[in-house]
Amino acid sequence: LTKPVELPQGTLEMLILKAVSLGPLHGYGILLRIQQISGERLEILQGSFYTAIYRLERRGWIKGKWGESENNRRARFYSLSAAGTRQLKAETDKWTDMAAVVAGILDKKADEI
Amino acid sequence: MSLLAAIRKLWDAIAPRTHRDVEEEFRSTLEAYQEDLIRQGLPEEEARRKARIDLGRPTAQNETYRDAIGLRLFDELGGDIRYGLRALRRNPGFTAVAVLSLALGIGATTAMFSLIYAVLLHPFPYDGADRIMNPVVIDQQHPDQWSWFLLAKAQFDDLRLAAPVDSALGFDNGGLEITGGALPEDIQCTYLTENAGTFFGVRPLLGRNIEPSDAENGGHSVVVLTSAAIPTSSGERWKLITPPTPSSGSCRAASHSMTASASAMFTCLPVSSRVSTFPSGPTHRGSSSGPASHWPPPTLRSSPSCASLHNSIPIVFPITGISRCSPSSCLTSRELAAP
């Protein structure tokens, strides 16, 4: 059994952008997609999830459009806007750089310094 | 894209979503989650309960939405206002007292401030009053003694063109006699250059102000009455003023009732009607030499970029003749004393 991972602060919006970049999804679908990609290891707090969705839509990084879900239920589907695509790339680069730096520091041994 | 479509797109981008819209979206998520729980083996009632516990109530989602887009503050403010209005409606007596107290308090404070502003802070209702000043000549031996000075026309024109000077006005106080009533009355008057109207920027209550055209072709005799010259306590205003006669320096008022301090009346006339009567000779009053043609004492308004004319070299240069005529004197300036 894998141990659940707590999402670092400020990364939820980036993950939502990534999930939406793979194809239009409704709110619950985005949640499931992130959990699926993470191998069910990420625990996303419901309260912060929709707050992040609303904020991203307000900033124009994702676009919402009403449609019909797989269960024939009316749902709001989100897709990535052009601004969102640029933002996702910037966030990804930043995160990759930071993760590499932190990992490099943590991997260092005394005799390597 | 049509204009309508562009407007609609812009509106969609900036307008907040409706409560119903937000609730509907959240409800669909709630139901999808509930169905997932049922698929995982939970009874329907238990699944519904768990979904509500995990995700919350759809009605509360509006607060999350408004908070996320930064509108929560307005909602709370609106709620407070509505609560206040309801409380006021429930207590009409208290409401009346509170509104009356506020009205009286605000009214009295406004009236008091208006008075202080008009009398102390902004006493002169002229354009750029804080930049208007009278240059005067003071005797260095007696710095407390000062006097205005006359200028040659060329000096006055130089002064007008000096960089720190936004506008220059010539003025000279005098006296006139009003006839037409039972007895003639002496009044104070001031002769002003033809730019007086634009210099002060004050709109006359009746008629017109002195205009540049009044100085053309030797000048026209135009008289402008100040409010001090219009007696109001007697209930009758001057209705017709005949222009002063340059030779006699008198003017007549028809339909008058001069019960209010006639000696304090103040009348303004274009300086062109007075120029020829200025004493020839002294540039500085009291001196005995100087150019033959003279212009009245100047009042200056500095340009907006020049806060003060005090010790301004470009101002001093055009009127260096003054110091030549009176070496012991020096030029300074005083804040405006209304001519």
Side-chain angles (χ1 to χ4, degrees), chain B residues 18-219:
Chain B
T18 60
H19 286 202
R20 211 177 111 188
D21 196 60
V22 172
E23 272 185 38
E24 190 177 352
E25 181 190 12
F26 186 75
R27 208 177 292 279
S28 76
T29 296
L30 196 70
E31 287 171 3
Y33 181 49
Q34 191 180 313
E35 282 173 12
D36 262 4
L37 291 174
I38 291 171
R39 270 198 296 273
Q40 286 167 20
L42 279 182
E44 188 175 341
E45 190 56 35
E46 181 67 18
R48 184 180 295 115
R49 200 178 73 84
K50 183 169 169 49
R52 288 289 167 106
I53 291 169
D54 286 352
L55 300 184
R57 291 177 295 113
T59 49
Q61 193 64 12
N62 275 309
E63 285 181 19
T64 308
Y65 173 70
R66 308 279 292 181
D67 195 21
I69 65 172
L71 293 178
R72 181 84 179 268
L73 180 71
F74 296 101
D75 294 345
E76 288 176 356
L77 194 65
D80 288 346
I81 291 171
R82 282 194 297 275
Y83 174 76
L85 290 175
R86 280 200 302 274
L88 289 175
R89 200 170 54 190
R90 276 198 302 272
N91 304 292
F94 171 78
T95 304
V97 172
V99 169
L100 200 63
S101 304
L102 280 172
L104 287 175
I106 293 169
T109 309
T110 306
M112 187 60 71
F113 180 76
S114 300
L115 190 69
I116 291 171
Y117 180 78
V119 175
L120 298 176
L121 302 178
H122 193 246
F124 300 114
Y126 308 140
D127 272 357
D130 56 332
R131 292 182 282 119
I132 297 178
M133 58 193 68
N134 283 329
V136 296
V137 172
I138 59 168
D139 188 336
Q140 286 180 330
Q141 303 298 323
H142 305 283
D144 55 328
Q145 295 176 7
W146 58 271
S147 63
W148 288 322
F149 52 88
L150 300 179
L151 295 171
K153 175 72 166 62
Q155 289 175 318
F156 196 89
D157 288 341
D158 284 348
L159 201 59
R160 279 180 166 169
L161 296 173
V165 176
D166 180 44
S167 183
L169 174 81
F171 74 95
D172 192 40
N173 293 328
L176 286 176
E177 193 175 69
I178 289 192
T179 59
L183 292 170
E185 297 273 352
D186 290 331
I187 59 165
Q188 295 175 5
C189 74
T190 298
Y191 291 87
L192 298 167
T193 43
E194 70 280 3
N195 63 331
T198 52
F199 185 91
F200 290 120
V202 177
R203 288 170 59 88
L205 290 173
L206 292 170
R208 66 170 178 86
N209 217 324
I210 295 174
E211 294 171 354
S213 60
D214 295 328
E216 290 171 2
N217 302 323

Side-chain angles (χ1 to χ4, degrees), chain A residues 26-28 31-32 46-47 50-51 53-55 57-58 66 71 73-76 78, chain B residues 14-15 17 21-22 24-25 28-29 31-33 35-36 54-55 61 64-65 68-69:
Chain A
H26 54 73
Y28 188 60
L31 199 68
L32 293 180
Q46 301 289 342
Y50 263 106
T51 301
I53 292 269
Y54 296 144
R55 202 176 291 140
E57 188 184 21
R58 189 70 181 169
W66 284 101
N71 298 330
R73 187 175 286 113
R74 197 162 178 260
R76 193 170 171 85
Y78 294 96
Chain B
I14 60 172
R17 288 166 61 184
D21 196 60
V22 172
E24 190 177 352
E25 181 190 12
S28 76
T29 296
E31 287 171 3
Y33 181 49
E35 282 173 12
D36 262 4
D54 286 352
L55 300 184
Q61 193 64 12
T64 308
Y65 173 70
I69 65 172

Side-chain angles (χ1 to χ4, degrees), chain A residues 10 14 17 61 86-96:
Chain A
M14 182 174 61
L17 288 177
W61 293 344
R86 288 193 296 274
Q87 182 65 21
L88 176 61
K89 184 176 183 321
E91 292 276 344
T92 306
D93 292 346
K94 192 173 147 191
W95 177 265
T96 309

Side-chain angles (χ1 to χ4, degrees), chain A:
Chain A
L1 194 69
T2 52
K3 193 179 170 186
V5 176
E6 203 170 299
L7 197 60
Q9 202 171 3
T11 53
L12 178 58
E13 291 184 3
M14 182 174 61
L15 296 186
I16 292 172
L17 288 177
K18 178 63 187 174
V20 168
S21 74
L22 303 174
L25 289 167
H26 54 73
Y28 188 60
I30 296 171
L31 199 68
L32 293 180
R33 175 69 59 82
I34 293 171
Q35 285 179 338
Q36 178 203 354
I37 295 171
S38 72
E40 308 295 331
R41 291 186 65 195
L42 275 182
E43 283 185 355
I44 298 171
L45 296 174
Q46 301 289 342
S48 56
F49 175 71
Y50 263 106
T51 301
I53 292 269
Y54 296 144
R55 202 176 291 140
L56 289 172
E57 188 184 21
R58 189 70 181 169
R59 286 175 186 161
W61 293 344
I62 58 175
K63 294 178 291 187
K65 195 177 176 184
W66 284 101
E68 204 165 88
S69 72
E70 58 278 9
N71 298 330
N72 300 323
R73 187 175 286 113
R74 197 162 178 260
R76 193 170 171 85
F77 285 82
Y78 294 96
S79 58
L80 206 61
S81 68
T85 307
R86 288 193 296 274
Q87 182 65 21
L88 176 61
K89 184 176 183 321
E91 292 276 344
T92 306
D93 292 346
K94 192 173 147 191
W95 177 265
T96 309
D97 277 354
M98 193 185 71
V101 169
V102 172
I105 292 169
L106 296 178
D107 285 348
K108 283 284 178 224
K109 294 185 172 62
D111 54 341
E112 294 174 348
I113 300 171

Side-chain angles (χ1 to χ4, degrees), chain B residues 233-261:
Chain B
S233 57
S234 62
E236 188 174 5
R237 292 186 169 198
W238 292 3
K239 292 174 182 168
L240 175 67
I241 301 297
T242 56
T245 311
S247 57
S248 66
S250 65
C251 62
R252 298 193 320 141
S255 180
H256 57 88
S257 55
M258 295 175 54
T259 53
S261 56

Side-chain angles (χ1 to χ4, degrees), chain B residues 168 177 181 223 230 255 257 269 324:
Chain B
E177 193 175 69
V223 62
I230 304 175
S255 180
S257 55
L269 301 161
R324 282 203 298 274

